[in-house]
Amino acid sequence: MTFSAGVKTELCKLPVGKRCCAVAEVYGAFLYGNTFTPREMRIVTENRVFGVRLGALLHRAFGLTFDVQPESEATGKQAYAVTDLVKLGDIADAVGYDGSAHFAHQINFGLFEEPCCPAAFVRGAFLAGGSVTDPERGYHLELVTSHMSVSRGMVSILRDMQLDPKDTMRRGHWAVYFKQSGAIEDFLTIIGAPGAALAHMTAKVERDMRNTIQRRVNCDAANVDKSVEAAALQLEAIRRIEQRDGLESLPEKLHQTALLRIVNPELSLQELAQLADPPVTKSCMSHRVRKLMELGGEL
């Protein structure tokens, strides 16, 4: 099951509560569904659990049943539709539309008289026309409809919920979306999926931790490469000194440093400084090595 399907399954487990919220939720589903006209209201989904919830919402909101619904053993995409003109007229009247005319596809904000209703409306819209990316792969949640006015109305509703969505048009459809993980978690919590919000937050933390560890590993690897390259140059300078005059010609401290580097080619300057007798600071060891490099370069 995808992360998006898991979110919708969690939402469908919510009880069908007050009638006003049932009206708002099924209204959101129809507006973000496949067809919403005076002659047919149709939603197509592969989520059987959502289909069951749709039937319960339709009955709670309007006392009606679907005229078209899949057989119990049906799989794949399934259609749920109201086609009876009397039923369609009742639904249109209930949501403030003129059932005898072409629907003006825009949100009737007058339906949201109770504080609970906007969240129910958004939940229905997400169930029918929403999706959310698995947080392991990225942060993106969107609601897509073919009606521009509906999408703009959704932006207003979400802003009233203290959310800050973006909107765009894509291939003839309008999308309201979020790309910030915190906003997605707030959205999921508001519409009734706190479990999914927590899973999203946990996945985000784990992903950020993996990225941090990977950056540190890359940084450490780069530092090791630099240390190896520097040690190779130091050994080359020491080899030149040895071929020219011998290491015994060096002052005692430089002689000791050259021998330490020959015996310990993989160690950092800090580690070489600890092996000196007596131990010295990294700055002191760096000065000695730099002097060897100068002598080796001159030779």
Side-chain angles (χ1 to χ4, degrees):
M1 181 185 295
T2 65
F3 185 82
S4 191
V7 173
K8 293 184 179 182
T9 298
E10 180 181 355
L11 292 173
C12 288
K13 292 179 180 179
L14 293 172
V16 177
K18 296 190 298 183
R19 181 178 178 275
C20 63
C21 288
V23 170
E25 186 170 338
V26 77
Y27 178 45
F30 277 136
L31 279 177
Y32 274 80
N34 299 80
T35 305
F36 187 52
T37 71
R39 294 190 171 274
E40 182 182 30
M41 297 181 187
R42 177 184 297 267
I43 293 174
V44 177
T45 178
E46 294 182 356
N47 191 329
R48 187 75 182 194
V49 179
F50 175 38
V52 172
R53 183 174 181 82
L54 275 174
L57 288 169
L58 189 68
H59 186 269
R60 180 73 178 93
F62 311 113
L64 303 175
T65 58
F66 282 110
D67 300 312
V68 177
Q69 54 186 336
E71 299 294 333
S72 58
E73 65 276 7
T75 59
K77 291 185 177 181
Q78 304 157 17
Y80 299 82
V82 178
T83 57
D84 182 272
L85 294 180
V86 175
K87 292 182 181 180
L88 290 168
D90 291 343
I91 295 173
D93 289 342
V95 297
Y97 284 36
D98 183 356
S100 63
H102 180 73
F103 287 172
H105 289 107
Q106 55 189 14
I107 298 173
N108 178 10
F109 292 94
L111 289 177
F112 310 143
E113 296 181 355
E114 299 294 330
C116 52
C117 294
F121 173 81
V122 176
R123 179 167 58 247
F126 179 81
L127 285 168
S131 63
V132 56
T133 302
D134 188 328
E136 292 285 347
R137 297 190 293 111
Y139 309 134
H140 185 88
L141 182 149
E142 67 178 20
L143 300 166
V144 180
T145 178
S146 57
H147 313 303
M148 179 182 64
S149 296
V150 172
S151 188
R152 289 180 175 174
M154 178 62 75
V155 170
S156 298
I157 292 173
L158 294 174
R159 286 178 177 166
D160 286 342
M161 295 176 174
Q162 307 305 310
L163 298 172
D164 187 23
K166 307 295 183 183
D167 62 306
T168 186
M169 187 183 77
R170 187 191 309 132
R171 296 189 296 275
H173 289 73
W174 282 263
V176 174
Y177 65 92
F178 299 94
K179 282 190 171 295
Q180 299 78 30
S181 59
I184 293 172
E185 290 150 17
D186 290 343
F187 177 95
L188 294 176
T189 300
I190 289 170
I191 66 172
L198 180 59
H200 193 281
M201 185 182 304
T202 301
K204 176 189 68 176
V205 171
E206 292 176 350
R207 183 186 182 198
D208 290 346
M209 185 178 297
R210 286 196 300 270
N211 290 340
T212 298
I213 292 172
Q214 187 61 51
R215 284 194 297 270
R216 289 180 178 175
V217 168
N218 293 341
C219 182
D220 289 344
N223 289 336
V224 168
D225 290 343
K226 291 179 181 178
S227 296
V228 170
E229 183 179 357
L233 294 174
Q234 295 159 17
L235 287 169
E236 177 64 19
I238 293 169
R239 184 186 63 80
R240 290 179 182 176
I241 295 171
E242 184 177 21
Q243 289 178 346
R244 176 63 183 266
D245 293 323
L247 298 182
E248 295 77 7
S249 64
L250 293 171
E252 180 182 354
K253 294 179 180 179
L254 292 184
H255 183 237
Q256 182 193 66
T257 300
L259 293 178
L260 283 174
R261 174 48 81 198
I262 292 172
V263 176
N264 305 283
E266 77 286 355
L267 296 187
S268 66
L269 291 181
Q270 180 66 50
E271 292 167 325
L272 282 183
Q274 295 301 314
L275 293 178
D277 185 18
V280 297
T281 65
K282 179 183 177 181
S283 177
C284 179
M285 180 57 66
S286 177
H287 174 76
R288 293 182 184 181
V289 169
R290 191 159 53 246
K291 186 63 177 178
L292 287 173
M293 294 286 288
E294 292 173 358
L295 292 173
E298 290 175 357
L299 293 172

